[in-house]
Amino acid sequence: MFKIGTKVKVIDDNISGIISKIKGDNIYFNDVFGFEYEYNANEIIKDIDIDYEEYRDEEIKEFSKPKFKTFRKSHRHPYLTREIDLHIENLVDNWRDLDNAEIIQTQMDVARNEVERAMFESQIRLIIIHGYGKGILKKEITELLYRYTNLEFYDASFKEYHGDAIEVKFI
């Protein structure tokens, strides 16, 4: 794992240096002042120099406006229902360039904006389609909806959405 000449630093202390010798699990390294330290291999990590200037000029990713199936007439209720599909491919064009955290954050931002928009427009119902997966997005949406006091929510019709959606009713 470690080799002589590798730059390392101590996990729980502000000490770093270059490995001078290795004996079993013990790693010996010298700091910039020439002092030798001895630590167990699981107490140190490789020290990597990061060029922060490289990231300063990185452009801010712009997301295109989400494409929604906005108003549709529900066959079960006579009033209009807004349906929001949070599948990432419907929200962002270059979704393959995003990591998982950015994908969830984008989906949560859209969900939050749509819930607040529905409240502002005095909607009666909102269907949030989260899709089938590991359940992470469903859990995050549920936590988001618990923060609001003027609504109730539950799993949408299984027959219609196959367990992949949450129905929100505004009180």
Side-chain angles (χ1 to χ4, degrees), residues 10 35 38 43-44 50 59 63 76 80 97 150 164:
V10 180
F35 292 105
E38 175 188 356
E43 296 175 319
I44 62 172
I50 299 174
E59 66 184 58
F63 296 112
R76 294 184 299 138
L80 291 174
D97 298 336
N150 58 341
D164 298 344

Side-chain angles (χ1 to χ4, degrees), residues 83-84 126-132 138 141 154-158 160-168:
E83 189 176 87
I84 287 88
L126 175 68
I127 304 290
I128 301 174
I129 301 172
H130 52 76
Y132 180 76
K138 180 178 181 178
I141 291 171
Y154 42 85
D155 286 339
S157 166
F158 188 82
E160 195 171 347
Y161 297 101
H162 310 288
D164 298 344
I166 295 175
E167 183 174 337
V168 181

Side-chain angles (χ1 to χ4, degrees), residues 97-140:
D97 298 336
L98 304 176
D99 64 5
N100 291 344
E102 290 174 323
I103 290 172
I104 289 285
Q105 189 59 49
T106 302
Q107 291 170 317
M108 289 303 296
D109 289 344
V110 169
R112 184 179 307 107
N113 290 341
E114 288 301 315
V115 167
E116 291 174 3
R117 178 177 167 194
M119 285 191 289
F120 179 75
E121 294 176 354
S122 301
Q123 286 288 309
I124 299 171
R125 286 181 5 152
L126 175 68
I127 304 290
I128 301 174
I129 301 172
H130 52 76
Y132 180 76
K134 295 180 182 175
I136 295 169
L137 181 59
K138 180 178 181 178
K139 181 180 169 227
E140 291 291 326

Side-chain angles (χ1 to χ4, degrees), residues 58-93:
E58 187 174 303
E59 66 184 58
I60 298 171
K61 295 178 182 172
E62 294 283 332
F63 296 112
S64 61
K65 193 161 187 175
K67 301 168 196 156
F68 299 120
K69 296 183 218 170
T70 46
F71 290 101
R72 78 171 178 84
K73 197 126 184 158
S74 174
H75 65 275
R76 294 184 299 138
H77 300 285
Y79 49 82
L80 291 174
T81 299
R82 176 173 286 153
E83 189 176 87
I84 287 88
D85 188 352
L86 293 181
H87 286 91
I88 193 66
E89 57 271 11
N90 295 334
L91 304 177
V92 180
D93 292 331

